[in-house]
Amino acid sequence: MSEKPDIRLGVNVDHVATLRNARGGDHPDPVRAARTAISAGADNITAHLREDRRHIRDDDMRRLKEAISVPLNFEMAATAEMLKIACEVRPDACCLVPENRNERTTEGGLDVAGQMAYLKPFVRELAGAGARVSLFVDPDPAQIDAAREAGAAAVEIHTGAYKQACQATTPDRIEREFDLIRAAAVHGAGLGLEIHAGHGLDFHNVQPVAAIPEIVELNIGHFIMGEAVFAGLPAVVKEMKQLMRDARTGGHY
Ligand code: PXP
């Protein structure tokens, strides 16, 4: 047995809704995907209700909350509209992300330091509704300090730049981006924050991140759903968890 704490896999079901919405019907259902992922070992389910409702819809959030047996992580922009919906849905966790209408996916971490006066009461209100609040931040110690000051219980470290470095496969760049993630995780854990990470993780790049002992949760969506087209969702979730566990217990990567 490893002495490192266990690591959770949060499966993001947004892109099951993307596929459903492409035809305007109700298939494939993100709630069914969530249940399937849970049966295969997912520890949490994440869904992002975007302002433009391009994938997950309000009703999906409500159905997810009712249907699933594991914690629901509601990813959202820090807007009054989302706060109201989160207070109604009462998810177990909320992850605040920056949102920009024209982006394809979340492009960077929140500027917590620059929005402290706005975010601090926002985080307090969400936490008051019973959610464990995490802030999605770049691996930057100043933003992690700010997340703590804003009252967040957790930070989710943005791994997008690491993913891009892995795609470019220039070892120096990969190492530089990875070192930033590791240092940010150590820094945040030292402040008493729970450390999550996510964005762009896949079978090839997940293990070094999963091996960082301070990180206790990874949120992964696009790769899992894309790979599920070929291998099936249960098999992909099982393999991702196995890779994470192997990394955690000192297995090879
Ligand atoms: N974490 C956050 C905060 C995100 O915005 C996303 C993308 O929705 C993810 C994790 C998952 O990223 P990916 O879909 O690339 O696995």
Side-chain angles (χ1 to χ4, degrees), residues 7-9 11 36-43 201-207 210 218 220 223-225 227-228 230-248 252-253:
I7 184 162
R8 305 186 294 262
L9 170 61
V11 173
T36 303
I38 293 163
S39 296
D43 300 289
L201 296 176
D202 60 31
F203 286 161
H204 300 292
N205 64 24
V206 73
Q207 288 201 299
L218 298 181
I220 309 179
F223 174 81
I224 287 179
M225 295 312 164
E227 191 62 16
F230 305 106
L233 185 54
V236 177
V237 170
K238 281 182 191 150
E239 184 164 351
M240 188 61 84
K241 274 212 78 167
Q242 192 58 49
L243 288 168
M244 288 163 58
R245 279 207 202 101
D246 287 351
R248 207 62 167 185
H252 32 254
Y253 59 85

Side-chain angles (χ1 to χ4, degrees), residues 27-161:
H27 183 270
D29 182 4
V31 175
R32 181 174 166 201
R35 284 209 188 99
T36 303
I38 293 163
S39 296
D43 300 289
N44 315 320
I45 295 297
T46 296
H48 183 178
L49 185 65
R50 296 186 75 103
E51 185 195 5
D52 63 9
R53 311 302 199 266
R54 70 174 74 154
H55 38 58
I56 293 293
R57 300 175 184 144
D58 302 47
D59 187 48
D60 294 328
M61 279 330 279
R62 293 191 189 99
R63 290 190 310 119
L64 280 167
K65 174 64 185 158
E66 279 186 13
I68 66 175
S69 52
V70 300
L72 173 64
N73 178 28
F74 187 152
E75 207 184 301
M76 58 187 258
T79 63
E81 182 199 17
M82 289 301 149
L83 179 62
K84 186 165 174 284
I85 297 169
C87 288
E88 284 163 19
V89 172
R90 297 205 161 249
D92 307 270
C94 285
C95 179
L96 300 184
V97 298
E99 211 174 281
N100 162 1
R101 260 182 186 270
N102 298 323
E103 70 192 355
R104 277 205 201 146
T105 180
T106 314
E107 282 171 353
L110 270 177
D111 179 12
V112 187
Q115 300 177 77
M116 184 61 73
Y118 178 76
L119 285 175
K120 208 169 181 171
F122 196 96
V123 168
R124 195 181 315 123
E125 204 160 335
L126 260 184
R132 187 167 181 78
V133 181
S134 79
L135 302 182
F136 186 55
V137 293
D138 289 329
D140 170 354
Q143 294 296 344
I144 290 170
D145 288 341
R148 168 102 202 294
E149 194 189 328
V155 284
E156 181 163 324
I157 299 173
H158 182 213
T159 51

Side-chain angles (χ1 to χ4, degrees), residues 160-179:
Y162 163 73
K163 196 269 183 331
Q164 280 175 3
C166 291
Q167 279 176 325
T169 56
T170 44
D172 286 0
R173 218 182 118 197
I174 298 172
E175 201 176 317
R176 206 166 51 240
E177 295 299 342
F178 178 74
D179 285 347

